[in-house]
Amino acid sequence: MRKSLGRMAFGLGVAFAIAGPLAGVAIAVPVTPATPRTGRLVEVGPIAENGFPAWYRDSNGLRLEACVTVEDPLCPAAADELPDPDAPVSWPDNFPGEFFYQLAGAELTMTNGVDAGIGLDLEGAFAGEVAAEGDQIVFGRVRIRFDANQGERYRITHPYGIDDIVADDRGVNMTEDIGIAAGNFGLAMNSRVGPFLRWDPAVAPAAPAGYTGDPGVEHRIVGSPYGTNFIRIERLNPTTGAVLAQMGFTDLFSVQGRLAVNSGVDLSQATYSLNPDGTGSLDVFATSEAGQSIDVVGNTTLGYRSTRLRSSGARYYGRFPITGPMPNGTMIEVVNTGDNPVARKTRSATDMVWVEEVRYDSDARTLLVRARSSDRLTNPALTVTGFGALTSTAFTGVTAPPPTVTVTSAKGGSTTVPLVGAGGTFAPAAPVAVAASPDAGPIVGQTVRLDGSGSTGEIDTFTWTQTGGPAVTLTNANQANATFVPSVTGTYTFRLAVSGPGGAATPVTVSVTVVGAALPGANAGPDQSAIRGRVVNLNGSATTGAETYSWRQVSGPLVSITGATTSRPSFTFPVHALPAAPGPNAGFVYNNEAVTLELTTTNPAGTTTDRVVITPQPDAFAGMAVRYRTGNNEWRISGNTTLVAGQRVTAVVGNALTGRVIGTANTDAAGAFSIRVTGPQPAGATTISLISTTGARTLAFPVNVTN
């Protein structure tokens, strides 16, 4: 039986997890085995032409390379992952969307007649699901799937550990992917996959030469870091965890993996030096496996011939004579002559930049940089990042320098060095006094607040003094905020003085006009729109004559008001609820109602009110594509939202939002989303409906059903 467990849906629109419940995902908790772990993946090889590591090595010294060809029956790339399965594999035009370094797993029939599948893979793929430079990812995958009644609890022991899983409405359906970060290939070594699984050499037949096994033949294996080279499924008491029964066991696995015969090569750096007479040298730094034959390819223009690099372990180095100038963009090539096909890497040769001095004078506000290039023949122009061309004079007007200075040569060399400061040290500047007028005109008998909290700088003392108007008693005259209660109408003036370690500020004066008792003029501000999930700031500062403020909600989705007794409160507009997984959700209601708030203001003369309406900003779906593959029960749903707000999007089966949940995804920075999951089956439905947390809604969108 050819191994098929590994070829399941993979998509970055929905994140797989094992630590808690997600829509349509069983609750799974990894259990630390009692036996200490004795191995793992330990090293990533050089990057190949396709942008993926040439190999991964485990702690047993086993190196596996990527299975990206279709002509190798023991290590094939799946034809359905190639844009053109009838054409040769090529990068990037005809490269598989998914492939494996290790594809391993087992299938067994449990005592209740249910088939179970376990996959343990090291997989390569693309963040955008199609071959593209910069999107390459490699991750370790543990996947466990079998039918079970919702709420049943199972313990699954496998070569890479133990998982305690509670079934959901789709049974036991858990996928753990570790390492999904474009270009960060070392993260896969943090997964549970490793060391690699291979046929047990003590059990006939032996694995085909150069392979970990034949994926078409089930066989006993070795490689588990815990010695658990088997699958055991036990049913547990849902509450106590006690074992109720062993449901299945197998020590036969399907294993796919090709031993790496090539080592590859990386060209880390190629730098040159030229004397004024045009003679000089080229330094080449490369890496590969120890004991490789790494050559620099000769360059007749530069005046050197193909030469072997010197090695120390995985490091390779060579120094070669050159004559004449080095044109911009000159490419240096190294090859691993022991590889078949020969591995090659090229890199632009660059000069080296030496920074001889970097000094910042805080008094003169000047930055002095002295540097030179290793190319003394052409003396290429040097540039200081953020400041411009390097000359013999200092950069002036530099108020705040960066912590490091980077000097770049026109020949490609670059060096970054820390900045050294000089000059006098800083002391606090004199503060600035700011006295704000009350938000609204006060009335007789009302407490009036004098606000100096907007003053800036280091402040030790505040002093409020009345300078005009009927005499009053100031409360907290030595604080940032002082108050008084006027007994008669009139204009009152006050002076605010502040001082600190930098000296005394210039005093400022504020005038307050007090009027007779009159009803306050409540003003809750203009109606506005807001994006769900964002903070909404209200403004009742246009209110007149108010002594107290009180905001309350009149209608709309429930909100929590912060600062409800101030003139400028705020609240977070609630996101729209999503249908709950797994569904169906017969009681789900779409409600895009506005939030209405009422401001009540009071003073000694009485009370007035005003209302403000905050309407959710409209959101909609665009660019929709929906596909369901009957062959592997896979949904592929993508589209865009008109609001770019990081919202979540849920898709359900059917013409309304009350159906079974397919999956949920987050939109990216451009408002795009992608849901790629398995199940639930459409059960005859030909449409789906979608909703976002920002209120976008699409009903009865047609589904493209394929096999």
Side-chain angles (χ1 to χ4, degrees):
M1 175 180 61
R2 182 67 61 183
K3 177 78 165 61
S4 61
L5 289 173
R7 310 225 58 84
M8 301 301 293
F10 167 73
L12 296 183
V14 174
F16 293 105
I18 63 167
L22 291 177
V25 179
I27 303 173
V29 178
V31 178
T32 302
T35 303
R37 188 178 187 115
T38 59
R40 59 183 63 251
L41 301 181
V42 296
E43 188 177 357
V44 180
I47 305 304
E49 180 186 8
N50 54 41
F52 286 96
W55 45 261
Y56 277 83
R57 188 201 310 276
D58 69 12
S59 51
N60 295 324
L62 191 66
R63 289 189 304 131
L64 297 187
E65 60 189 27
C67 293
V68 293
T69 59
V70 294
E71 63 272 9
D72 186 346
L74 299 181
C75 186
D80 61 357
E81 290 296 338
L82 288 168
D84 184 356
D86 297 322
V89 173
S90 62
W91 170 260
D93 301 328
N94 196 41
F95 196 81
E98 298 175 11
F99 63 89
F100 297 88
Y101 294 86
Q102 169 177 288
L103 179 62
E107 296 178 347
L108 67 154
T109 300
M110 298 190 295
T111 57
N112 58 0
V114 171
D115 292 332
I118 290 84
L120 307 164
D121 310 321
L122 183 65
E123 180 171 349
F126 296 90
E129 301 186 24
V130 294
E133 186 61 50
D135 268 6
Q136 293 92 335
I137 57 177
V138 177
F139 55 94
R141 165 173 287 182
V142 175
R143 181 183 50 240
I144 303 170
R145 293 183 180 176
F146 57 84
D147 289 336
N149 294 324
Q150 186 169 1
E152 291 181 349
R153 183 179 175 185
Y154 293 86
R155 180 168 62 207
I156 299 91
T157 303
H158 52 80
Y160 293 138
I162 302 171
D163 286 277
D164 189 323
I165 304 178
V166 177
D168 68 357
D169 69 313
R170 291 191 298 150
V172 171
N173 190 344
M174 182 278 282
T175 301
E176 173 193 81
D177 290 335
I178 303 297
I180 299 178
N184 197 341
F185 302 117
L187 290 179
M189 295 192 295
N190 297 330
S191 73
R192 290 193 282 173
V193 174
F196 293 120
L197 304 180
R198 58 190 176 90
W199 278 11
D200 186 344
V203 178
Y211 298 87
T212 57
D214 181 341
V217 177
E218 293 182 330
H219 198 281
R220 292 177 64 182
I221 62 163
V222 294
S224 166
Y226 305 108
T228 53
N229 294 297
F230 56 81
I231 303 295
R232 181 171 59 225
I233 301 175
E234 299 168 298
R235 185 174 174 187
L236 307 181
N237 183 296
T239 303
T240 67
V243 177
L244 300 178
Q246 178 169 302
M247 303 299 295
F249 179 91
T250 185
D251 58 2
L252 298 179
F253 289 76
S254 171
V255 176
Q256 172 183 306
R258 183 168 57 210
L259 276 60
V261 295
N262 289 337
S263 296
V265 63
D266 271 336
L267 178 51
S268 308
Q269 181 175 296
T271 53
Y272 74 93
S273 299
L274 280 177
N275 299 314
D277 63 359
T279 62
S281 60
L282 172 71
D283 291 281
V284 176
F285 303 83
T287 58
S288 184
E289 283 279 270
Q292 300 300 300
S293 299
I294 309 298
D295 290 357
V296 66
V297 177
N299 188 313
T300 55
T301 301
L302 298 180
Y304 66 86
R305 306 185 68 169
S306 295
T307 308
R308 183 66 41 86
L309 301 186
R310 190 168 67 198
S311 66
S312 175
R315 298 195 309 272
Y316 293 81
Y317 168 76
R319 183 172 173 82
F320 310 102
I322 55 177
T323 58
M326 180 75 69
N328 287 347
T330 297
M331 303 300 293
I332 307 301
E333 183 178 23
V334 295
V335 297
N336 188 338
T337 60
D339 281 358
N340 184 19
V342 172
R344 302 176 180 272
K345 280 294 174 66
T346 58
R347 190 182 186 97
S348 295
T350 67
D351 61 345
M352 292 174 285
V353 176
W354 287 282
V355 177
E356 298 169 335
E357 182 181 10
V358 174
R359 183 164 54 87
Y360 175 71
D361 188 325
S362 63
D363 296 328
R365 301 188 181 188
T366 58
L367 175 64
L368 176 64
V369 180
R370 294 195 302 113
R372 63 183 178 89
S373 166
S374 62
D375 188 338
R376 292 188 291 159
L377 174 63
T378 63
N379 293 312
L382 301 179
T383 302
V384 180
T385 301
F387 294 92
L390 182 64
T391 66
S392 59
T393 60
F395 297 100
T396 60
V398 182
T399 302
T404 60
V405 170
T406 299
V407 181
T408 302
S409 164
K411 290 290 188 177
S414 181
T415 299
T416 299
V417 297
L419 179 142
V420 177
T425 57
F426 292 3
V432 176
V434 176
S437 299
D439 283 344
I443 63 174
V444 171
Q446 180 184 36
T447 298
V448 181
R449 181 172 175 265
L450 303 175
D451 186 1
S453 61
S455 301
T456 60
E458 289 293 315
I459 300 174
D460 292 335
T461 65
F462 289 86
T463 304
W464 289 94
T465 306
Q466 184 177 8
T467 58
V472 295
T473 299
L474 281 172
T475 301
N476 296 327
N478 61 347
Q479 303 295 321
N481 297 314
T483 61
F484 70 95
V485 179
S487 58
V488 296
T489 62
T491 299
Y492 298 74
T493 58
F494 302 88
R495 184 181 68 175
L496 172 63
V498 299
S499 64
T506 301
V508 294
T509 300
V510 62
S511 296
V512 179
T513 300
V514 177
V515 298
L519 284 174
N523 188 330
D527 293 342
Q528 56 180 299
S529 63
I531 297 176
R532 288 179 174 274
R534 301 283 178 84
V535 173
V536 178
N537 294 305
L538 304 173
N539 188 354
S541 62
T543 296
T544 58
E547 184 170 312
T548 66
Y549 296 81
S550 178
W551 297 79
R552 72 178 184 91
Q553 184 173 1
V554 176
S555 63
L558 184 63
V559 302
S560 177
I561 304 172
T562 300
T565 59
T566 69
S567 63
R568 298 171 182 264
S570 63
F571 70 91
T572 299
F573 204 113
V575 296
H576 201 291
L578 299 178
N585 295 270
F588 183 81
V589 176
Y590 176 78
N591 184 351
N592 218 23
E593 183 181 357
V595 171
T596 300
L597 299 174
E598 183 178 80
L599 168 63
T600 299
T601 60
T602 65
N603 68 17
T607 299
T608 58
T609 62
D610 188 34
R611 291 185 177 182
V612 62
V613 178
I614 298 88
T615 304
Q617 191 167 327
D619 190 13
F621 292 112
M624 292 285 299
V626 179
R627 177 185 178 191
Y628 176 74
R629 298 174 65 181
T630 59
N632 60 0
N633 189 31
E634 180 188 54
W635 290 92
R636 295 191 181 188
I637 304 167
S638 62
N640 293 275
T641 52
T642 56
L643 282 179
V644 181
Q647 59 268 52
R648 302 177 72 228
V649 176
T650 291
V652 302
V653 177
N655 296 332
L657 295 169
T658 55
R660 286 171 56 84
V661 171
I662 299 171
T664 299
N666 293 327
T667 59
D668 62 16
F673 66 90
S674 174
I675 299 174
R676 185 174 176 183
V677 297
T678 56
Q681 296 180 358
T686 59
T687 63
I688 69 168
S689 298
L690 298 97
I691 183 174
S692 76
T693 52
T694 47
R697 178 179 63 166
T698 290
L699 302 178
F701 192 91
V703 178
N704 178 22
V705 179
T706 63
N707 56 25

